[in-house]
Amino acid sequence: RRYGVPFFYGTIYEGGLCEMNAISVNTGSDQQAIPLLEWSFKNLGKKVFYIGADYIAPRNIGIWTRYLAKQNGGEVVGEDYYPLDVTDFSTAIAKIQAAKPDYVHSCLVGGPHMSFYRQWAAAGMLHKIPIVSVVFGGGNEHMALTPEETDGIIVAYNYFEELDTPENKVFLAKVDAVAGKDRPYVNGIAFGGYSGPMIWADEAKDAGSFE
């Protein structure tokens, strides 16, 4: 705002900013939460437990969870938030077990919070109560954790590397040519990081100037 320059935001955006120079090139959280939770209330059950990191985006997605529960005849049977440095989720797991939800909606993020999924599986819960998420995998949690700790977690993203389309194969071949075959997994957040500079480049070409 101070310098009047465009700001391209490449990751999932929680919404709420009124700023003409800010351009969100990825999904709004509602664009992932709505299809994920509508599917979940239809296919997994009406009772959801929401667990998230304690900052603005997960709290806004918590609002969407409560709203969509009402819209789909569901119920939020628990809602819990944890600081980003928490690694012990034994209390959280006990709360979820006591609430007996049909599924868990997780908005836990970051390295320490990966402990939840590991502890959830160790408690024998992975195949008892399903987990859905709009953020799991955004930090490549599915690459850091084992299949035994994550198999069955359901996510909604605007992009998956596994998309089997001719266009995606061409895109990934270009990525490999630049980044090498040993590059990290390309997820929805990485795709937003790609889209922002590309959109900016198109605008610079149209304007005929970097200014």
Side-chain angles (χ1 to χ4, degrees), residues 5-6 26 48 61 94 105-106 108 127 131 154-156 165 200:
V5 297
N26 212 310
V48 58
I61 295 172
H105 182 198
S106 171
L108 295 169
H127 299 295
I131 294 176
I154 301 162
V155 299
T165 66
W200 174 86

Side-chain angles (χ1 to χ4, degrees), residues 78-121:
E79 188 172 351
D80 224 354
Y81 297 90
Y82 292 86
L84 289 165
D85 59 351
V86 169
T87 58
D88 182 359
F89 287 93
S90 54
T91 300
I93 292 171
K95 285 183 180 180
I96 296 170
Q97 290 170 323
K100 295 182 171 59
D102 295 315
Y103 67 97
V104 173
H105 182 198
S106 171
C107 198
L108 295 169
V109 302
H113 283 187
M114 280 195 288
S115 300
F116 169 78
Y117 302 103
R118 186 170 286 124
Q119 293 162 25
W120 182 257

Side-chain angles (χ1 to χ4, degrees), residues 141-174:
E141 293 90 343
H142 62 307
M143 308 297 288
L145 298 167
T146 67
E148 292 76 20
E149 294 166 334
T150 61
D151 185 39
I153 295 176
I154 301 162
V155 299
Y157 267 104
N158 58 332
Y159 176 80
F160 294 92
E161 186 175 306
E162 293 83 1
L163 287 172
D164 188 13
T165 66
E167 294 84 358
N168 192 44
K169 290 175 182 177
V170 170
F171 169 71
L172 290 174
K174 291 180 179 179

Side-chain angles (χ1 to χ4, degrees), residues 12-24:
I12 302 166
Y13 174 50
E14 63 269 21
L17 178 68
C18 182
E19 179 55 71
M20 291 297 292
N21 289 335
I23 302 151
S24 179

Side-chain angles (χ1 to χ4, degrees), residues 195-211:
S195 300
M198 296 302 290
I199 292 172
W200 174 86
D202 281 344
E203 293 304 305
K205 289 175 184 176
D206 288 344
S209 169
F210 287 149
E211 296 301 320

